[in-house]
Amino acid sequence: MEQLSSKIYKKEFVEAFAGDDSGTLTPRQTPGMFYSKAKPTPVERVTLLAWSDELAKELGIARPTNQHEIDILGGNRVTDSMYPYAACYAGHQFGNWAGQLGDGRAITLGEWEAPDGKTWELQLKGAGLTPYSRRADGRAVLRSSVREYLMSEAMHYLGIPTTRALSLVSTGEPVLRDMFYNGNAAYEPGAIVMRVAPSFLRFGNFEMLNARKEVDNLRQLVDWTISRYYPHITGENKVLDWFKEVVDRTARLMVEWMRVGFVHGVMNTDNMSILGLTIDYGPYSFVDNYDPNFTPNTTDLPGRRYAFGKQPSIGYWNLGALAGALLPLADKDQLVATLETFKDVYWTAYYAMMGRKLGFDQVSQLDRDLISRFEKTLADIQPDMTIFYQLLIELPLSVENEDAVAEYFKQALYDDLTPEQKTALYTLVSSYLERLNTNKIKRSDSQEMMRKANPRFVLRNYLLHQAIEELEKGDDTLFVKLQEAIKEPYSDKFSEFFQTRPGWASEKAGCSMLSCSS
């Protein structure tokens, strides 16, 4: 295990590409530049609030034990071998071209080589002004930082590709934030997350270069990305082959989000990872009641572009934007044909995933029809998604009548069922049990498959909200408990959290709806 301060950091991205080395933090356009040097702005006092021991062990990083080391986690200290920078990228935001964006409150310190030879970028989120901060301050608050720290790790333990979070620190400084952009700004405690990924490259990095007609730079970035992160791809068709793999990874990521009920909330192209990772945790949420039209993002109303059920189609749309950025390097028709493979990849993986959630030994066309009936019925009844699928695991193999079925699933319901809903649920469950009886695997094997596909614990927004409120008062009891619960989402060890969203959380700010500043 190495100390953060004694490591010789790599800086292969910086060495490979042109950047603005001036260190000037004044917000500006940076044509021709892949990044700009941006040293973190020191804060009052860096205090360690949370540390991921498991991730640190994987990376070979020793837990900081003195202020000298802790200061690195808050940007108060930069070692000699680090080269702090903010990346330049663009993006489509809510479907509209936004032009240059870039790391407005994220600063990459350097690249850490782990004991297994893999390299990880260490990045501080909330470490101060960068040339891409535009009209913002480059800071982050405790509220958004707790959310990013916990959810990054929660997604990892759910088995979903994601960026990771190594540490959470407080800064000792207040930060002014208008949570809902409604003129009610207030000071909140400042905080910084150190997040970790093999790369933070986004679709927007490639869009930026194409938009500026920097074709040589675009080719250089594509070649570098392929050689570094997709080294198995070679040959004269490597751009198309690489794009196909990005399409595959993105499609499968969407399937995983749908599996657990995760809603990203702000799927702009600058928030789409070129490695197929979940990246940038802002106004995210898990669905409580099963509603395909649910969006947790106030900025996404009333259009609900990024609603739960629309995420796969937005993933496809965003890949189309990436394909457009690659037009100078590949044939248009072939790019379009490659993009169109998204649908087959997604639906094949989606039905296979749903088969595991439902405990089917295989998925036939008839099973696909049954899966569609599940989606339609759940959207109408809107039970708690997590609890419903948990109850389904232990469903008796015979049911008496409509009332008995409604009573069995009562724990998952937010509202009493109408007579029509009772009939629909009973009919669905009866068809499901008929299908289970045709399984060629044991019931116990089917149930084990379901337990691995259906989390029992998800990091609900109301729990996060409670933990944040308590942390702001100096009480970390719930925060610590959630840190442990996220590591075992498929176990029944944390049954105290196995309940529907409480009534008070339905309307409370920060529980039901959030903004992009979250």
Side-chain angles (χ1 to χ4, degrees), residues 94 180 265 293-307 512-514 516:
F94 299 94
F180 291 108
N293 290 315
F294 169 69
T295 179
N297 187 356
T298 55
T299 316
D300 199 24
L301 299 174
R304 298 178 185 270
R305 175 181 176 85
Y306 298 144
S512 56
M513 295 295 291
L514 304 111
C516 289

Side-chain angles (χ1 to χ4, degrees), residues 427-493:
T427 304
L428 177 69
V429 168
S430 297
S431 297
Y432 173 64
L433 289 176
E434 287 178 17
R435 168 60 184 86
L436 279 188
N437 287 328
T438 70
N439 261 354
K440 292 181 173 58
I441 57 175
K442 295 178 181 177
R443 169 71 164 163
S444 58
D445 292 338
S446 171
Q447 290 175 312
E448 184 60 24
M449 182 194 309
M450 295 172 76
R451 289 189 186 96
K452 290 178 179 178
N454 295 297
R456 188 174 175 86
F457 170 84
V458 291
L459 196 56
R460 299 177 189 261
N461 268 344
Y462 83 88
L463 292 173
L464 281 161
H465 184 76
Q466 286 180 309
I468 292 163
E469 281 192 328
E470 291 177 12
L471 268 178
E472 290 176 343
K473 297 173 183 176
D475 182 358
D476 69 351
T477 305
L478 179 56
F479 175 73
V480 170
K481 191 169 289 186
L482 292 179
Q483 269 192 286
E484 293 308 308
I486 61 175
K487 298 173 188 176
E488 299 186 66
Y490 300 99
S491 81
D492 58 3
K493 282 184 62 176

Side-chain angles (χ1 to χ4, degrees), residues 26-37:
T26 305
R28 61 193 182 278
Q29 296 289 310
T30 58
M33 302 294 122
F34 290 76
Y35 62 88
S36 294
K37 186 176 183 179

Side-chain angles (χ1 to χ4, degrees), residues 128-420:
L129 200 66
T130 81
Y132 308 110
S133 298
R134 302 189 293 287
R135 295 178 299 278
D137 58 12
R139 291 301 185 190
V141 296
L142 183 65
R143 165 175 50 87
S144 62
S145 301
V146 167
R147 288 173 56 81
E148 173 127 13
Y149 175 83
L150 285 177
M151 186 55 85
S152 299
E153 293 304 282
M155 291 290 270
H156 168 72
Y157 288 107
L158 282 166
I160 299 174
T162 180
T163 58
R164 302 287 302 275
L166 179 63
S167 65
L168 169 69
V169 300
S170 61
T171 64
E173 296 180 354
V175 177
L176 188 64
R177 280 292 178 271
D178 185 351
M179 183 194 282
F180 291 108
Y181 308 130
N182 60 5
N184 295 316
Y187 282 101
E188 300 183 49
I192 296 171
V193 172
M194 177 176 278
R195 57 185 189 177
V196 177
S199 173
F200 288 95
L201 280 172
R202 306 131 188 281
F203 291 8
N205 290 84
F206 301 86
E207 287 185 284
M208 181 80 275
L209 300 176
N210 178 59
R212 287 179 171 163
K213 303 189 186 313
E214 298 172 8
V215 177
D216 288 342
N217 283 345
L218 176 63
R219 182 177 290 107
Q220 184 188 4
L221 182 60
V222 169
D223 287 345
W224 187 83
T225 301
I226 294 172
S227 65
R228 187 176 177 89
Y229 302 110
Y230 298 82
H232 55 283
I233 296 176
T234 57
E236 60 183 24
N237 291 321
K238 67 178 183 178
V239 174
L240 284 169
D241 292 342
W242 166 68
F243 180 56
K244 176 65 170 72
E245 189 155 335
V246 177
V247 169
D248 288 358
R249 290 192 187 191
T250 304
R252 295 178 191 282
L253 180 65
M254 297 300 101
V255 170
E256 286 297 289
W257 288 2
M258 301 305 286
R259 174 174 69 86
V260 299
F262 176 75
V263 193
H264 185 281
V266 59
M267 287 178 64
N268 298 329
T269 57
D270 56 295
N271 292 336
M272 297 295 292
S273 162
I274 205 66
L275 301 183
L277 308 174
T278 311
I279 192 171
D280 284 338
Y281 292 93
Y284 65 79
S285 180
F286 285 100
V287 292
D288 294 316
N289 49 300
Y290 186 91
D291 180 5
N293 290 315
F294 169 69
T295 179
N297 187 356
T298 55
T299 316
D300 199 24
L301 299 174
R304 298 178 185 270
R305 175 181 176 85
Y306 298 144
F308 173 53
K310 294 180 181 177
Q311 292 182 131
S313 63
I314 293 298
Y316 168 78
W317 193 97
N318 288 342
L319 286 163
L322 176 60
L326 299 176
L327 281 172
L329 307 183
D331 177 74
K332 178 181 178 180
D333 291 342
Q334 290 181 306
L335 279 168
V336 170
T338 304
L339 173 64
E340 290 305 308
T341 65
F342 175 92
K343 297 168 186 176
D344 281 343
V345 173
Y346 175 79
W347 286 113
T348 299
Y350 177 78
Y351 284 120
M353 174 275 288
M354 286 301 297
R356 293 190 296 274
K357 281 181 76 71
L358 295 171
F360 295 163
D361 56 345
Q362 58 182 355
V363 180
S364 67
Q365 183 56 54
L366 285 176
D367 293 332
R368 291 188 174 204
D369 295 339
L370 181 56
I371 288 168
S372 296
R373 285 176 57 196
F374 262 95
E375 294 166 344
K376 184 177 184 300
T377 304
L378 294 190
D380 176 49
I381 296 173
Q382 294 199 9
D384 188 277
M385 179 178 172
T386 301
I387 297 176
F388 176 86
Y389 278 106
Q390 285 293 310
L391 294 175
L392 203 64
I393 297 172
E394 305 297 337
L395 181 70
L397 289 178
S398 63
V399 292
E400 294 180 11
N401 52 45
E402 293 181 5
D403 288 337
V405 171
E407 182 63 27
Y408 179 79
F409 286 103
K410 186 176 181 180
Q411 187 181 1
L413 300 178
Y414 285 93
D415 298 296
D416 293 334
L417 300 182
T418 65
E420 294 78 13

